[in-house]
Amino acid sequence: MRAWSSRVCLTVAALFLLLLTAVPAHAAPTASAGTPGGTPAGLPAGPRAEAPTGAAADLSAPGPHAVGYSDVNVSASGRSFSARVYYPAVSAGGNTAVAAGRFPVVSFGHGFFQGIGKYASLGRHWASWGMITIMPASQGGLFPSHSAFADDLNAALTWMVQQDTAAGSRFGTHVRTDRLALSGHSMGGGASVLAAARNPGVRTVTNLAAAETNPSARAAAATTRVPMQLVAGSRDTVAGPSGHQIPIYEAKPAPKQLRTIVGGFHCGFTDSGGLGCDSGSIGRAVQQSITKRVTTSWLLYHLADDGGQYDAVWGAAARTDPAVQFLGVE
């Protein structure tokens, strides 16, 4: 029985790694100029919420908002799937009222064979800082379609925008429709790059251990002009920087940055481990604290127009952070 269990574990682990096959790095194209704090061409001014003030705050700690959540059925752009939404709320809990104001939206893609519950802490964290975060539960099987997952991430954004004016929606008049972002972990990170290349309404991307996909996330990055932040772990042995995040970074025109957490590992971005997981030289709690700090400053800067985050995103604080290696072109 023990031998049979071992063979099953090895088989599933092999499938896991097969879908995250590394690709060799490529030479970087000439970077183009960009303005990370500006409005991408074609985006309307749109309704605004009062921007959070997080420059002097500890962005690894929860923000000023209580967090609500709601399990929803998304139907938009020809796509249908279930998802969970975390949002700034009047009081914490399921299906509570949304807090006053309009809030940006982040669509987040889970990793291969990972449930969206493994990213609950990050969804709650971003919501506490004023970001509506929607996590599609689609493409969760052994043979996911990366292209379809990218379409689902964009459909989730479209659905959230529709909710701003939908009769009876709890999110009515609460969505900042001109401040949309994409994110994800591993497979979902790669899918977020594919989605950004297809969606001119997206303002920015931040992702975690983004993996190369089929079709290629690296090729999609080469056509993506919005600011992109790639967060990696230096000890990632599943979808490590050399075969995944670095090629995507090198293909991407500026503005772009690669933030590598020293000692970070692939499964350190999830709330718990599982079959096929690796380990790093720092603990999961430490890595998640760093991840929350780095990604929240990026989202506040690009989605909430919080110029006070510049130092944490592009300035000396970012470039000399002992916990996170910096590579970027502003």
Side-chain angles (χ1 to χ4, degrees):
M1 180 67 176
R2 185 176 295 113
W4 179 85
S5 299
S6 297
R7 287 196 297 271
V8 171
C9 289
L10 288 171
T11 299
V12 176
L15 282 170
F16 179 91
L17 294 173
L18 180 63
L19 289 177
L20 291 176
T21 302
V23 296
H26 295 267
T30 302
S32 61
T35 307
T39 301
L43 283 185
R48 298 178 54 124
E50 185 174 341
T53 303
D58 177 6
L59 297 185
S60 66
H65 293 284
V67 177
Y69 66 89
S70 183
D71 293 322
V72 301
N73 293 311
V74 173
S75 183
S77 305
R79 312 293 300 175
S80 296
F81 49 86
S82 61
R84 171 161 284 194
V85 183
Y86 296 95
Y87 56 89
V90 172
S91 59
N95 299 316
T96 55
V98 181
R102 292 183 184 268
F103 304 99
V105 181
V106 183
S107 181
F108 182 93
H110 60 79
F112 169 66
F113 217 56
Q114 303 298 306
I116 57 177
K118 287 202 170 185
Y119 306 95
S121 63
L122 186 61
R124 288 194 297 265
H125 185 79
W126 286 346
S128 77
W129 284 100
M131 314 291 165
I132 297 172
T133 305
I134 183 167
M135 297 185 173
S138 59
Q139 302 300 322
L142 280 172
F143 303 100
S145 166
H146 301 156
S147 183
F149 200 24
D151 288 341
D152 290 346
L153 293 176
N154 279 332
L157 292 177
T158 298
W159 186 83
M160 285 302 316
V161 169
Q162 292 171 346
Q163 296 309 295
D164 187 61
T165 55
S169 172
R170 77 174 66 258
F171 301 106
T173 71
H174 289 298
V175 179
R176 192 169 179 192
T177 58
D178 68 325
R179 293 295 188 273
L180 308 177
L182 288 157
S183 185
H185 172 234
S186 192
M187 175 186 79
S192 75
V193 179
L194 297 178
R198 301 174 184 179
N199 190 346
V202 167
R203 187 175 179 84
T204 191
V205 179
T206 177
N207 52 43
L208 316 175
E212 176 62 304
T213 53
N214 182 21
S216 171
R218 181 187 61 81
T223 69
T224 304
R225 302 294 172 179
V226 296
M228 182 180 295
Q229 179 187 65
L230 295 147
V231 182
S234 69
R235 297 286 292 271
D236 188 336
T237 60
V238 177
S242 64
H244 296 268
Q245 296 88 58
I246 290 175
I248 294 172
Y249 171 83
E250 290 180 334
K252 169 74 173 68
K256 59 182 179 179
Q257 65 175 226
L258 173 60
R259 306 290 294 275
T260 304
I261 298 173
V262 178
F265 56 111
H266 193 77
C267 294
F269 292 112
T270 61
D271 290 349
S272 60
L275 187 65
C277 271
D278 56 352
S279 61
S281 60
I282 60 174
R284 175 174 277 106
V286 173
Q287 181 167 337
Q288 291 201 338
S289 178
I290 295 169
T291 300
K292 290 171 182 176
R293 169 172 62 82
V294 169
T295 59
T296 301
S297 62
W298 180 270
L299 291 172
L300 289 176
Y301 183 65
H302 289 288
L303 297 183
D305 306 313
D306 187 350
Q309 297 302 327
Y310 180 84
D311 193 42
V313 173
W314 292 110
R319 296 170 187 269
T320 61
D321 188 340
V324 189
Q325 297 168 354
F326 181 94
L327 182 63
V329 182
E330 185 180 354

